[in-house]
Amino acid sequence: MSAPMVAVSTKAYFGVAHTRRWVRAVAALGPVAADYGVELAVLPSFPLLESTATMLAGTGVAWGAQNVAASDAGQQTGEVPAGTLAELGCSYIEVGHAERRSLFGEDEATVRAKVGRVVAHSMVPLICVGEPERTEPDNAADYSVAQLADAIRDVPNAPVVVAYEPVWAIGAAQPACPQHVTRVTTALRAALATRGGPSRVLYGGSAAPGTATDLHGAVDGLFVGRFGHDVEALRAVVAEVAEVAAPATTSPDPFTERRSS
Protein backbone atom coordinates (compact mmCIF):
# COMPACT_ATOMS: atom_id res chain seq x y z
CA MET A 1 0.00 0.00 0.00
CA SER A 2 1.17 3.51 -0.75
CA ALA A 3 0.99 6.56 1.48
CA PRO A 4 -2.16 8.69 1.33
CA MET A 5 -1.93 11.75 -0.88
CA VAL A 6 -3.31 15.26 -1.09
CA ALA A 7 -2.73 17.03 -4.39
CA VAL A 8 -3.82 20.58 -5.16
CA SER A 9 -3.93 22.53 -8.42
CA THR A 10 -3.99 26.31 -8.60
CA LYS A 11 -5.52 26.12 -12.11
CA ALA A 12 -5.27 29.69 -13.51
CA TYR A 13 -6.64 31.48 -10.48
CA PHE A 14 -3.38 32.96 -9.16
CA GLY A 15 -1.01 35.53 -10.58
CA VAL A 16 2.74 35.45 -10.01
CA ALA A 17 2.91 37.15 -6.62
CA HIS A 18 -0.14 35.32 -5.31
CA THR A 19 1.24 31.94 -6.39
CA ARG A 20 4.55 32.58 -4.69
CA ARG A 21 2.88 33.63 -1.44
CA TRP A 22 0.71 30.54 -1.54
CA VAL A 23 3.59 28.16 -2.31
CA ARG A 24 5.63 29.68 0.51
CA ALA A 25 2.77 28.99 2.91
CA VAL A 26 2.34 25.45 1.58
CA ALA A 27 6.06 24.83 2.05
CA ALA A 28 5.51 25.29 5.77
CA LEU A 29 3.01 22.40 5.63
CA GLY A 30 5.68 20.04 4.33
CA PRO A 31 6.95 18.86 7.72
CA VAL A 32 3.37 18.66 8.99
CA ALA A 33 2.33 16.42 6.11
CA ALA A 34 5.45 14.29 6.58
CA ASP A 35 4.65 13.81 10.26
CA TYR A 36 1.17 12.68 9.28
CA GLY A 37 2.56 10.30 6.67
CA VAL A 38 0.75 12.10 3.85
CA GLU A 39 2.32 13.04 0.55
CA LEU A 40 1.44 16.62 -0.38
CA ALA A 41 1.81 17.70 -4.01
CA VAL A 42 1.11 21.04 -5.69
CA LEU A 43 0.52 21.86 -9.35
CA PRO A 44 1.02 25.57 -10.18
CA SER A 45 0.81 27.17 -13.61
CA PHE A 46 3.71 26.68 -16.03
CA PRO A 47 5.56 30.01 -15.51
CA LEU A 48 5.78 29.39 -11.75
CA LEU A 49 7.36 25.94 -11.87
CA GLU A 50 10.94 27.04 -11.30
CA SER A 51 10.17 29.35 -8.38
CA THR A 52 7.94 26.64 -6.90
CA ALA A 53 10.78 24.14 -7.13
CA THR A 54 13.09 26.55 -5.32
CA MET A 55 10.64 27.30 -2.53
CA LEU A 56 9.69 23.66 -1.99
CA ALA A 57 13.24 22.28 -2.02
CA GLY A 58 13.85 20.26 1.13
CA THR A 59 10.28 20.63 2.40
CA GLY A 60 9.02 17.20 1.37
CA VAL A 61 6.26 18.75 -0.75
CA ALA A 62 6.15 17.31 -4.27
CA TRP A 63 5.26 19.41 -7.26
CA GLY A 64 4.41 19.15 -10.90
CA ALA A 65 2.53 20.62 -13.84
CA GLN A 66 -1.13 20.91 -14.84
CA ASN A 67 -0.56 19.91 -18.47
CA VAL A 68 1.98 18.56 -20.96
CA ALA A 69 2.41 18.36 -24.70
CA ALA A 70 1.23 15.16 -26.38
CA SER A 71 4.60 14.67 -28.10
CA ASP A 72 8.21 15.69 -27.71
CA ALA A 73 8.40 17.30 -31.16
CA GLY A 74 10.16 20.63 -31.31
CA GLN A 75 7.75 22.25 -33.75
CA GLN A 76 5.00 22.93 -31.19
CA THR A 77 4.82 26.64 -30.60
CA GLY A 78 3.55 27.40 -27.12
CA GLU A 79 3.60 23.80 -25.89
CA VAL A 80 5.71 22.36 -23.06
CA PRO A 81 7.03 18.84 -23.75
CA ALA A 82 7.47 16.20 -21.08
CA GLY A 83 11.24 16.27 -21.40
CA THR A 84 11.34 19.91 -20.36
CA LEU A 85 9.12 19.25 -17.34
CA ALA A 86 11.27 16.29 -16.32
CA GLU A 87 14.40 18.41 -16.60
CA LEU A 88 12.80 21.02 -14.33
CA GLY A 89 12.21 18.30 -11.74
CA CYS A 90 8.45 17.71 -11.89
CA SER A 91 7.20 14.60 -10.12
CA TYR A 92 3.56 14.62 -11.22
CA ILE A 93 1.82 15.76 -14.38
CA GLU A 94 -1.94 16.23 -14.53
CA VAL A 95 -3.51 14.69 -17.63
CA GLY A 96 -7.09 14.53 -18.89
CA HIS A 97 -8.79 17.13 -16.73
CA ALA A 98 -12.38 17.84 -17.80
CA GLU A 99 -11.51 21.45 -18.60
CA ARG A 100 -8.76 20.36 -20.99
CA ARG A 101 -11.27 18.10 -22.69
CA SER A 102 -14.07 20.67 -22.94
CA LEU A 103 -12.12 23.88 -23.54
CA PHE A 104 -9.29 22.56 -25.69
CA GLY A 105 -10.87 19.55 -27.38
CA GLU A 106 -8.59 16.90 -25.92
CA ASP A 107 -9.86 13.40 -26.72
CA GLU A 108 -8.91 9.94 -25.47
CA ALA A 109 -6.10 9.62 -28.00
CA THR A 110 -4.57 12.89 -26.79
CA VAL A 111 -4.85 11.83 -23.15
CA ARG A 112 -3.25 8.47 -23.92
CA ALA A 113 -0.39 10.14 -25.80
CA LYS A 114 0.24 12.54 -22.92
CA VAL A 115 0.27 9.72 -20.39
CA GLY A 116 2.81 7.91 -22.54
CA ARG A 117 5.14 10.91 -22.72
CA VAL A 118 4.93 11.51 -18.97
CA VAL A 119 5.82 7.90 -18.21
CA ALA A 120 8.57 7.84 -20.82
CA HIS A 121 10.26 10.68 -18.95
CA SER A 122 10.00 8.93 -15.56
CA MET A 123 7.28 11.16 -14.12
CA VAL A 124 3.94 10.03 -12.71
CA PRO A 125 0.72 10.92 -14.53
CA LEU A 126 -2.17 12.18 -12.42
CA ILE A 127 -5.00 11.04 -14.66
CA CYS A 128 -8.42 12.65 -14.27
CA VAL A 129 -11.47 10.56 -15.12
CA GLY A 130 -15.19 11.06 -14.56
CA GLU A 131 -18.59 11.06 -16.19
CA PRO A 132 -19.73 14.35 -17.78
CA GLU A 133 -23.30 14.33 -16.48
CA ARG A 134 -24.99 13.10 -13.32
CA THR A 135 -26.00 9.46 -13.79
CA GLU A 136 -26.44 6.21 -11.88
CA PRO A 137 -23.32 5.02 -10.01
CA ASP A 138 -22.99 1.87 -12.12
CA ASN A 139 -23.03 3.93 -15.32
CA ALA A 140 -20.52 6.38 -13.84
CA ALA A 141 -18.26 3.48 -12.87
CA ASP A 142 -18.38 1.97 -16.37
CA TYR A 143 -17.65 5.34 -17.97
CA SER A 144 -14.72 6.14 -15.67
CA VAL A 145 -13.15 2.69 -15.92
CA ALA A 146 -13.32 2.86 -19.72
CA GLN A 147 -11.61 6.28 -19.68
CA LEU A 148 -8.88 4.96 -17.41
CA ALA A 149 -8.34 1.75 -19.38
CA ASP A 150 -7.83 3.74 -22.58
CA ALA A 151 -5.49 6.25 -20.90
CA ILE A 152 -3.12 3.62 -19.47
CA ARG A 153 -3.30 0.85 -22.04
CA ASP A 154 0.20 1.64 -23.37
CA VAL A 155 1.81 1.88 -19.90
CA PRO A 156 0.69 -1.31 -18.09
CA ASN A 157 3.41 -1.28 -15.43
CA ALA A 158 3.92 2.42 -14.74
CA PRO A 159 2.96 4.11 -11.46
CA VAL A 160 -0.17 6.19 -11.85
CA VAL A 161 -2.39 8.40 -9.72
CA VAL A 162 -6.04 8.44 -10.74
CA ALA A 163 -8.31 11.31 -9.72
CA TYR A 164 -12.00 10.51 -9.97
CA GLU A 165 -13.65 13.84 -10.73
CA PRO A 166 -17.28 13.64 -11.87
CA VAL A 167 -17.50 16.59 -14.24
CA TRP A 168 -20.87 17.68 -12.87
CA ALA A 169 -19.35 18.02 -9.39
CA ILE A 170 -16.42 20.26 -10.42
CA GLY A 171 -17.11 23.74 -9.07
CA ALA A 172 -20.34 22.60 -7.43
CA ALA A 173 -21.41 23.53 -3.93
CA GLN A 174 -21.01 19.93 -2.74
CA PRO A 175 -18.98 16.92 -3.84
CA ALA A 176 -20.65 13.79 -5.17
CA CYS A 177 -22.33 11.73 -2.44
CA PRO A 178 -20.18 9.10 -0.68
CA GLN A 179 -22.18 6.14 -2.02
CA HIS A 180 -21.69 7.32 -5.60
CA VAL A 181 -17.97 7.94 -5.15
CA THR A 182 -17.43 4.63 -3.39
CA ARG A 183 -19.08 2.69 -6.21
CA VAL A 184 -16.90 4.36 -8.84
CA THR A 185 -13.62 4.25 -6.93
CA THR A 186 -14.18 0.59 -6.06
CA ALA A 187 -14.48 -0.15 -9.78
CA LEU A 188 -11.36 1.92 -10.51
CA ARG A 189 -9.39 0.06 -7.85
CA ALA A 190 -10.50 -3.27 -9.30
CA ALA A 191 -9.37 -2.20 -12.77
CA LEU A 192 -6.01 -1.03 -11.45
CA ALA A 193 -5.48 -4.26 -9.52
CA THR A 194 -5.12 -6.15 -12.79
CA ARG A 195 -2.01 -4.21 -13.84
CA GLY A 196 1.59 -4.35 -12.68
CA GLY A 197 2.40 -0.84 -11.49
CA PRO A 198 1.54 0.85 -8.18
CA SER A 199 -1.42 3.17 -8.14
CA ARG A 200 -3.47 5.51 -6.00
CA VAL A 201 -7.08 6.61 -6.42
CA LEU A 202 -8.02 10.11 -5.27
CA TYR A 203 -11.34 11.93 -5.27
CA GLY A 204 -11.72 15.42 -6.72
CA GLY A 205 -14.72 17.49 -7.69
CA SER A 206 -15.45 20.06 -4.96
CA ALA A 207 -13.37 18.06 -2.49
CA ALA A 208 -13.03 20.00 0.77
CA PRO A 209 -12.51 19.54 4.51
CA GLY A 210 -14.93 16.79 5.55
CA THR A 211 -14.83 14.95 2.22
CA ALA A 212 -12.20 12.40 3.24
CA THR A 213 -14.12 11.53 6.39
CA ASP A 214 -17.29 10.99 4.37
CA LEU A 215 -15.36 8.72 1.97
CA HIS A 216 -13.68 6.69 4.69
CA GLY A 217 -11.70 3.91 3.05
CA ALA A 218 -12.96 4.59 -0.49
CA VAL A 219 -9.96 6.63 -1.69
CA ASP A 220 -6.24 7.08 -1.07
CA GLY A 221 -6.59 10.84 -0.67
CA LEU A 222 -8.00 13.93 -2.33
CA PHE A 223 -7.29 16.10 -5.34
CA VAL A 224 -8.44 19.54 -4.30
CA GLY A 225 -8.91 22.73 -6.26
CA ARG A 226 -10.33 25.96 -4.88
CA PHE A 227 -10.73 24.57 -1.35
CA GLY A 228 -6.98 23.96 -1.22
CA HIS A 229 -6.23 27.56 -2.11
CA ASP A 230 -6.88 28.43 1.53
CA VAL A 231 -3.79 27.04 3.25
CA GLU A 232 -5.56 26.51 6.57
CA ALA A 233 -8.24 24.49 4.77
CA LEU A 234 -5.47 22.54 3.06
CA ARG A 235 -3.89 21.85 6.45
CA ALA A 236 -7.24 20.51 7.66
CA VAL A 237 -7.55 18.28 4.59
CA VAL A 238 -4.06 16.83 5.16
CA ALA A 239 -4.84 16.06 8.80
CA GLU A 240 -8.18 14.51 7.88
CA VAL A 241 -6.73 12.33 5.13
CA ALA A 242 -4.08 11.11 7.56
CA GLU A 243 -6.66 10.22 10.16
CA VAL A 244 -8.87 8.35 7.72
CA ALA A 245 -5.96 6.47 6.09
CA ALA A 246 -3.92 5.91 9.25
CA PRO A 247 -3.09 2.22 8.52
CA ALA A 248 -1.46 3.21 5.22
CA THR A 249 1.00 5.63 6.81
CA THR A 250 3.25 2.84 8.09
CA SER A 251 3.59 1.20 4.66
CA PRO A 252 6.33 1.94 2.11
CA ASP A 253 5.46 4.36 -0.64
CA PRO A 254 6.49 3.03 -4.08
CA PHE A 255 6.19 6.51 -5.59
CA THR A 256 8.73 7.96 -3.17
CA GLU A 257 11.01 4.93 -3.58
CA ARG A 258 10.86 5.27 -7.36
CA ARG A 259 11.75 8.94 -7.35
CA SER A 260 14.69 8.42 -4.99
CA SER A 261 16.12 5.45 -6.89
Side-chain angles (χ1 to χ4, degrees):
M1 293 181 69
S2 57
M5 181 179 191
V6 174
V8 55
S9 167
T10 64
K11 297 195 177 186
Y13 286 113
F14 297 171
V16 173
H18 190 163
T19 298
R20 288 174 177 164
R21 288 195 302 270
W22 181 81
V23 170
R24 192 172 296 111
V26 171
L29 291 182
V32 175
D35 287 344
Y36 281 129
V38 173
E39 180 173 15
L40 180 58
V42 300
L43 308 177
S45 56
F46 278 138
L48 279 302
L49 289 176
E50 283 195 288
S51 63
T52 294
T54 298
M55 287 186 282
L56 294 181
T59 68
V61 180
W63 58 279
Q66 300 173 23
N67 188 31
V68 65
S71 81
D72 289 340
Q75 59 274 25
Q76 299 184 87
T77 301
E79 287 293 293
V80 182
T84 300
L85 297 175
E87 190 174 355
L88 283 171
C90 291
S91 296
Y92 297 100
I93 308 296
E94 184 178 359
V95 181
H97 191 277
E99 292 163 358
R100 297 295 313 176
R101 297 174 187 268
S102 64
L103 298 176
F104 300 98
E106 295 189 1
D107 58 14
E108 301 307 325
T110 302
V111 171
R112 184 169 63 253
K114 289 186 174 188
V115 168
R117 300 323 304 150
V118 170
V119 171
H121 288 278
S122 300
M123 298 176 291
V124 178
L126 194 162
I127 305 167
C128 299
V129 300
E131 71 280 9
E133 298 178 352
R134 191 186 295 266
T135 185
E136 294 298 317
D138 286 350
N139 294 335
D142 290 345
Y143 187 96
S144 299
V145 167
Q147 276 191 316
L148 174 62
D150 192 279
I152 64 176
R153 72 185 190 193
D154 295 336
V155 291
N157 299 312
V160 298
V161 176
V162 180
Y164 170 54
E165 293 196 306
V167 179
W168 51 269
I170 296 173
Q174 299 291 332
C177 74
Q179 294 81 4
H180 183 101
V181 175
T182 298
R183 173 67 185 90
V184 178
T185 56
T186 298
L188 290 170
R189 287 181 187 275
L192 290 165
T194 65
R195 60 193 299 277
S199 61
R200 283 183 278 197
V201 177
L202 312 181
Y203 173 72
S206 298
T211 303
T213 298
D214 291 342
L215 297 176
H216 187 92
V219 293
D220 301 308
L222 298 179
F223 184 32
V224 295
R226 67 189 189 279
F227 291 108
H229 298 168
D230 179 330
V231 175
E232 288 308 308
L234 183 58
R235 181 190 298 270
V237 168
V238 169
E240 183 185 350
V241 166
E243 182 176 1
V244 170
T249 62
T250 59
S251 302
D253 179 357
F255 291 83
T256 302
E257 291 174 357
R258 184 173 183 270
R259 287 201 303 272
S260 62
S261 63

